[in-house]
């Protein structure tokens, strides 16, 4: 049926609604009237042989003509209309997975078929943000058991691409975030690739943090490679560090994360499905998960870490993925810098074996690389760390890192920020605790990650003694306004560093 | 702090996003850049002494200048900016109730304080649609116990206005929807007011159904009265039937319903809080809840009805509200008409004691009015139905109804639709079942409730015998296109009426 009464010409609204397709129609247009559409109606738009389900926003003034429908960027990308193309509009039927969603919300267990239907509808944009949120919430806490976690992981894997690397081990690592500055990835990838192994690493940009690995890496080399370019880099150098957003290895995960982050939900089931679906999609055979544990890290207790570890291991086994889990100290930042360029500087400092390189970052990178080398089939157990050490000290890891940067498009030295200001201790004593979350917030107020050079340079550590008036950290910013903004917040929250009695 | 770097001039976007405040900024504007705003960022906008938290949509073409921020209708109504007013923009802090929301999502019980904080943030527009959805989902199924239901109801009541009527009983009724055509309310209000009691009734418009009571009533009299106008009508005539949307008796409920409806969640706890918070806010002292039970009604089994009834009674008691619950047959539509004008016609036919008036609608209205009259303090038990009968038969109820219409702005006789087409039985036999949901869908495709005259006129009932080729119902529509659209759906779904072996 293509009744003229439900047709409108398509125009581009030029509005980015972050993945959710939105269609804008005038309240008085003949389609709204004949179809009974009102604001937030789920509308099926068909143009040529393409279709998209979009949420309706109703235009009430004369910015939009009566005979057109405007599409948000997400809707435009799906329909890809020709100039002057028309679309027909109708009420969207409930998605096929609506019954499964409802069952989960009402506390029932779902099986493989249910999760597959849900993930298929998700990546086909047939679920509204409201429906995705209901799914995420219904799976939060302990509402996914192990079997459901495995089913969800497999479903997320099934609806995306999966890279095949041919035979042989493919290594990978991942850190369950929450620790500012913990930028081990570029160092680990350089060591593993220098050892002759394959490690095709995709990383995320910051979502709520001052820098993701992709942001820090982008200071030194291009990271927005597509899947073919990534494959060429890995075939040439053994490793890469690219932004996962362009590779889209787990598109279902990208959609769910977009809902989970503003809610700050970090349930084990969803975290495991998110991490392991991406590893498996990347074609990994041997992966290491770093879980920093600390009072202001993402995982806050040993019990929480143990529960997460168990869930990771059982799910990895079901996927045929060899997994090593490493729990690390998450009490304070790692390295000196927090922010893309400052973290990149630390990475280079470690790779260059500079005397002032942050030892905590260096040691963590060696621990992780060593454990990964131990996990490779045929490796002599316990020799991995010594091998990693040798590859780093010899300059082989640095050479490999620079070669990877070249293969990704060329190396660039990080540039410092033009505006600096220290934040001073307001008493003399010993550093007892550091609030990672507040520290990250200051770095963000200073402009990170939007301004790559912005962030924090912090050299004091728990156990260090400081004197009143000595600097606790430096704020780096691109503009004086941002510098003052971050400084204002830092001075209003002197408890970011808890300073005990003078030691 | 009012840094110039986070100021933009305000313009009206003219976009209706259905209550969720949205702000539109150009991707390259200085505020997006300096504050690090991206699509879906939660933004705090301050202008003069007003503020609003809005969701950011990013404009990527030149429709929007770099020095302005455009506000959706919901955001514009809150800020009410003067011409050429500016606003400052910053990242919104998480709402005060974020911890309570998170606790509920993770399965903890909430107390009075938690629910109050959540409802305060909801009505102040400090919760995004994603947060509201998480709350609704976390409370779905059996995840609210009786104490939490009571706490949520009280919180919803506390954040809205409450009408005081002075002393004496204030009566009310409500039907837990799902039954097409069940338009008893205008008849019940007329009888109760004719009996000399006070019954200030607010009703909803259709959200997913072909007609709400407010839609049917609006065919006969204005219903968009504000709270002062409503009070004047009730003081003059004892009763009213007005649209609740303009009275905004439970603004928190309006926000939650907006999320619950697209999800089709109907958990007991939320349903009870929604219904009873509105009754208490309206100042009711004695209310009756009609629960139609049937396989395609909202409440599908006797067990589900019993559970809902128990929850309603315990919550009403906690609020000091006298409640009568009546379970009714929900197997098939009530009255002949489905759609605003067709239902209004049935109501008038009953009030006018016409010979062809639908007996099922008349009997239900008498049952409900009788039970309400029995519940009034000092009433002689069991005499209510006879009194209701007398008031209806004598014409007193009709006179009162017309007087209420006059007080609300004037009575209008419903107008029939210009286009009709019968849907015929495709076999001879006895009507075994009627699918209320599909029938409602046909009425909506015909144009109800947007076109008031559109809908369905259906005179066959379960147990009736029909012959192949006889009409099952008539479709009424305002345009030939809608008539064909609804007819096409009806013929594609002949199982709306299940016709058994010829009886």
């Amino acid at each position: 049926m293509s009744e003229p009464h439900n047709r409108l010409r398509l125009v581009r609204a030029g509005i980015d609604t972050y993945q959710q397709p939105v269609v804008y129609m005038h309240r008085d247009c003949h389609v709204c009237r004949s179809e009974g559409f009102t604001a937030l109606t789920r509308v099926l738009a068909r143009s040529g042989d393409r279709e998209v389900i979009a949420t309706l926003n109703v235009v009430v003034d004369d910015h939009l003509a009566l005979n057109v429908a405007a599409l948000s960027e997400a809707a435009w990308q799906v329909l890809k209309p020709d100039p002057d193309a028309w679309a027909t509009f109708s009420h969207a039927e409930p998605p096929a997975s609506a019954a499964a969603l409802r069952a989960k919300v009402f506390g029932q267990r779902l099986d493989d078929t249910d999760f597959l239907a849900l993930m298929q509808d998700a990546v086909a944009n047939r679920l509204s943000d409201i429906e995705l949120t209901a799914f995420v919430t219904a799976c939060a806490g302990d509402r996914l058991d192990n079997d459901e976690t495995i089913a969800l992981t497999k479903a997320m894997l099934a609806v995306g691409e999966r890279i095949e690397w041919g035979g042989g081990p493919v290594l990978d690592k991942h850190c369950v975030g929450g620790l500012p500055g913990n930028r081990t990835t570029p160092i680990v990838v350089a060591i593993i690739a220098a050892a002759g192994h394959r490690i095709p690493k995709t990383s995320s940009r910051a979502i709520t943090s001052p820098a993701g690995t992709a942001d820090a890496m982008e200071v030194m080399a291009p990271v927005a490679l597509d899947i073919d370019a990534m494959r060429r880099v890995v075939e040439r150098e053994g490793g890469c560090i690219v932004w996962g957003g362009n590779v889209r290895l787990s598109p279902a995960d990208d959609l769910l994360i977009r809902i989970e982050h503003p809610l700050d939900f970090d349930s084990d089931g969803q975290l495991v499905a998110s991490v392991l679906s991406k590893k498996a999609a990347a074609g990994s055979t041997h992966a290491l998960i770093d879980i920093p544990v600390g009072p202001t890290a993402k995982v806050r207790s040993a019990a929480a870490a143990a529960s997460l570890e168990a869930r990771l291991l059982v799910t990895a086994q079901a996927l045929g993925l060899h997994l090593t889990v490493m729990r690390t100290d998450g009490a304070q930042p790692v390295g000196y810098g927090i922010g893309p360029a400052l973290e990149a500087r630390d990475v280079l400092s470690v790779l260059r074996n500079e005397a002032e390189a942050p030892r905590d970052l260096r040691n963590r990178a060696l621990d992780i690389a060593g454990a990964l080398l131990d996990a490779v089939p045929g490796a002599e157990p316990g020799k991995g760390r010594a091998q990693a050490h040798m590859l780093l000290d010899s300059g082989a890891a640095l050479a490999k890192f620079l070669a990877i940067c070249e293969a990704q498009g060329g190396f660039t030295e990080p540039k410092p920020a033009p505006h600096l200001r220290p934040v001073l201790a307001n008493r003399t004593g010993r550093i007892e605790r550091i609030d990672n979350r507040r520290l990250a917030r200051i770095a963000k107020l200073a402009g990170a990650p939007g301004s790559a050079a912005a962030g924090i340079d912090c050299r004091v550590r728990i156990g260090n003694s400081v004197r009143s008036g000595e600097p606790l950290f430096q704020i780096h910013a691109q503009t004086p306004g941002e510098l003052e903004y971050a400084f204002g917040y830092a001075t209003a929250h002197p408890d970011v560093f808890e300073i005990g009695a003078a030691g």
Side-chain angles (χ1 to χ4, degrees), chain A:
Chain A
M1 292 193 293
S2 68
E3 298 82 357
H5 77 272
N6 66 349
R7 281 179 59 179
L8 290 170
R9 195 163 55 77
L10 296 175
V11 297
R12 190 168 187 165
I15 295 177
D16 175 9
T17 50
Y18 199 4
Q19 299 188 354
Q20 176 169 248
V22 173
V23 58
Y24 303 86
M25 291 183 197
H26 198 284
R27 179 175 50 189
D28 298 328
C29 79
H30 65 280
V31 173
C32 278
R33 296 173 78 99
S34 71
E35 295 289 315
F37 292 164
T38 55
L40 297 203
T41 297
R42 295 284 286 167
V43 168
L44 172 66
R46 282 205 182 92
S47 184
D49 57 357
R50 299 199 183 90
E51 60 180 49
V52 65
I53 295 177
T55 296
L56 180 67
N57 279 196
V58 172
V59 177
V60 294
D61 65 13
D62 54 6
H63 280 87
L64 196 68
L66 290 176
N67 60 340
V68 302
L71 302 178
S72 75
E73 290 303 276
W76 188 265
Q77 298 309 332
V78 178
L79 280 190
K80 297 186 180 68
D82 295 326
D84 292 320
W86 294 71
T88 59
F89 295 90
S90 56
H91 282 272
E93 289 286 330
S97 60
L101 171 58
R102 200 180 151 80
K104 189 70 204 157
V105 167
F106 284 82
Q108 293 167 44
R109 292 191 65 256
L110 298 188
D111 62 17
D112 289 14
T113 317
D114 296 324
F115 281 111
L116 187 60
L118 280 159
M119 292 303 101
Q120 283 170 335
D121 278 340
V123 296
N125 274 316
R126 288 190 291 258
L127 299 183
S128 67
D129 277 8
I130 285 179
E131 287 160 334
L132 285 171
T133 305
F135 176 72
V136 164
T137 305
C139 295
D142 56 2
R143 297 202 189 100
L144 286 181
D145 65 22
N146 279 346
D147 287 344
E148 287 180 294
T149 303
I150 292 166
L152 174 59
T153 310
K154 287 182 172 172
M156 289 168 76
L157 197 51
V159 299
E161 285 188 76
R162 188 165 182 166
I163 310 182
E164 296 293 341
W165 295 103
V170 178
L171 279 59
D172 210 339
K173 62 89 56 181
H174 180 83
C175 178
V176 176
L179 207 52
N182 192 16
R183 208 53 61 212
T184 54
T185 293
I187 307 170
V188 171
V189 168
I191 293 172
I192 298 297
H197 297 298
R198 219 163 14 187
I199 182 162
K201 181 79 184 89
T202 61
S203 294
S204 54
R205 293 191 192 279
I207 299 177
T208 58
S209 73
T213 293
D215 300 308
M217 185 68 193
E218 196 168 34
V219 174
M220 302 179 279
V223 295
L225 279 63
D226 64 19
I227 208 160
D228 292 332
M230 170 181 167
R231 183 184 286 279
R232 283 193 297 274
V233 173
V234 174
E235 280 168 359
R236 185 168 125 189
E237 298 298 342
C240 70
I241 304 116
V242 302
W243 174 46
N246 240 25
V247 180
R248 285 184 53 88
L249 275 177
S250 185
D253 188 43
D254 294 345
L255 285 163
L256 295 182
I257 280 182
R258 179 174 146 259
I259 302 292
E260 288 159 13
H261 271 273
L263 290 169
D264 197 19
F265 290 174
D266 43 13
S267 72
D268 280 5
Q270 283 164 324
L271 179 61
V272 167
S274 168
V275 170
L276 296 187
S277 69
K278 281 220 160 84
K279 300 295 137 203
S284 308
T285 58
H286 294 71
L288 181 142
I289 309 285
D290 172 15
I291 308 181
V293 185
T296 55
K298 183 157 192 164
V299 177
R300 303 190 185 197
S301 70
S307 164
L308 177 58
E309 177 170 342
R311 181 84 64 120
L312 281 164
L313 291 171
V314 72
T315 308
Q317 190 172 33
L319 296 175
L321 177 65
H322 183 285
L323 192 71
T324 307
V325 176
M326 182 180 281
R327 296 192 217 168
T328 56
D329 175 17
Q332 56 187 335
V334 177
Y336 305 136
I338 301 172
L342 289 160
E343 295 177 22
R345 179 205 63 188
D346 286 352
V347 164
L348 288 168
S349 179
V350 169
L351 285 168
R352 286 167 175 158
N353 293 301
E354 291 172 355
E356 68 273 28
R359 297 208 65 79
D360 53 353
L361 181 64
R362 173 185 160 93
N363 282 329
R364 275 174 190 254
L366 287 173
D367 290 346
I368 293 169
L372 266 175
L373 290 170
D374 282 344
V376 176
E380 204 178 330
K383 303 280 188 190
R385 198 177 195 284
Q387 187 190 357
H389 212 293
M390 187 272 292
L391 290 165
L392 184 58
D393 287 355
S394 68
L398 175 63
K400 177 55 77 179
F401 181 74
L402 295 173
I404 289 171
C405 288
E406 280 309 315
Q408 290 189 195
F411 173 76
T412 310
E413 192 72 30
K415 282 166 209 65
H419 300 279
L420 272 67
R421 182 159 181 183
V423 173
L424 309 178
N426 62 357
R427 56 177 293 188
T428 296
R430 183 176 170 281
I431 307 287
E432 304 281 359
R433 287 161 70 96
I434 300 177
D435 187 332
N436 291 327
R437 287 163 195 252
R438 283 256 160 82
L439 207 55
R441 183 153 172 80
I442 296 168
K444 285 166 68 179
L445 291 172
S451 298
I456 280 175
D457 194 15
C458 172
R459 311 227 164 191
V460 306
R461 287 289 176 271
I462 292 173
N464 289 175
S465 291
V466 293
R467 295 156 67 109
S468 180
E470 278 184 352
L472 290 167
F473 57 90
Q474 295 270 356
I475 301 174
H476 292 229
Q478 198 64 44
T479 66
E482 286 165 310
L483 190 71
E484 291 316 306
Y485 208 48
F487 183 79
Y489 182 89
T491 49
H493 294 90
D495 53 338
V496 173
F497 287 76
E498 195 179 311
I499 303 175

